[in-house]
């Protein structure tokens, strides 16, 4: 997961700052393949870069988190260990009226020829296909934070015990 992010730092337009933090020690190993991870990250980072005035900031964080009963319920996940990826920007933000449509296929606010509206539906679809989920939190004019939860692989759990 971590090296997939490092590789993608280069895809951002110049002038944007990208920071990456995470719990290297626990280096979460997720039940997902590299192509899916790359696709998730590319879509989120591209969106963030497109929503930013130049010189703005994108923060990426990867942590291992334990999802409790109450959280699992609200996220429609099973209880357990997850890799939580957050991609946060201080760009345009998303208007409250649009937030519920943001993961819909073909929902785009970008001009014809620029946006397909498929990026986030692919992100959500991939996360769900690996037993995880995608959520968004945004304030118009302040910024946006996408959170992806992916279950930590069974093999890795056994190794840690
Ligand atoms: N980081 C972000 N900041 C502000 N708006 C965003 C962000 N990410 C996505 N959006 C909004 O969600 C819409 C859908 O995103 P996406 O599915 O990737 O399609 P596309 O990028 O092709 O428009 C975008 O058109 C934009 O309005
Ligand atoms: Mg996009």
């Amino acid at each position: 997961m971590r090296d997939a992010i490092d590789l993608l730092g280069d895809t951002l337009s110049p002038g944007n700052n990208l920071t990456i933090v995470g719990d290297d020690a626990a280096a979460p190993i997720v039940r997902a393949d590299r192509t899916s991870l790359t696709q998730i990250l590319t879509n989120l980072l591209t969106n963030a870069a497109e929503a930013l005035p130049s010189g703005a900031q994108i923060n990426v964080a990867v942590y291992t988190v334990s999802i409790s009963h109450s959280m699992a319920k609200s996220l429609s996940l099973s209880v357990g260990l997850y890799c939580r990826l957050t991609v946060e920007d201080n760009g345009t933000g998303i208007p409250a009226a649009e937030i519920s449509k943001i993961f819909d296929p073909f929902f785009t606010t970008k001009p014809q020829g620029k946006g397909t509206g498929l990026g986030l539906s692919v992100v959500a679809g991939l996360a769900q296909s690996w037993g995880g989920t995608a959520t968004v939190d945004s304030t118009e004019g302040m910024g946006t934070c996408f959170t992806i939860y992916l279950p930590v692989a069974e093999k890795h759990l056994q190794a840690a015990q």
Side-chain angles (χ1 to χ4, degrees), residues 8-120:
L8 282 164
D10 302 340
T11 64
L12 287 170
S13 53
N16 290 325
N17 291 316
L18 178 71
T19 68
I20 301 166
V21 298
D23 47 3
D24 276 338
I29 295 175
V30 293
R31 202 192 300 149
D33 65 278
R34 177 162 294 267
T35 311
S36 300
L37 291 177
T38 306
Q39 238 180 320
I40 288 174
L41 285 160
T42 309
N43 284 324
L44 293 178
L45 290 177
T46 307
N47 280 345
E50 286 173 352
L52 290 179
S54 64
Q57 183 71 32
I58 301 172
N59 297 318
V60 177
V62 190
Y63 286 101
T64 311
V65 294
S66 176
I67 301 288
S68 64
H69 263 104
S70 58
M71 258 195 102
K73 211 169 162 193
S74 68
L75 290 167
S76 301
L77 294 175
S78 312
V79 168
L81 268 193
Y82 287 79
C83 171
R84 184 189 65 200
L85 165 76
T86 52
V87 177
E88 182 187 25
D89 67 64
N90 60 355
T92 57
I94 300 167
E98 289 172 6
I99 204 104
S100 63
K101 296 177 246 169
I102 214 78
F103 291 108
D104 291 353
F106 305 113
F107 176 81
T108 183
T109 58
K110 292 167 192 171
Q112 249 199 342
K114 193 133 203 291
T116 61
L118 289 173
L120 290 177

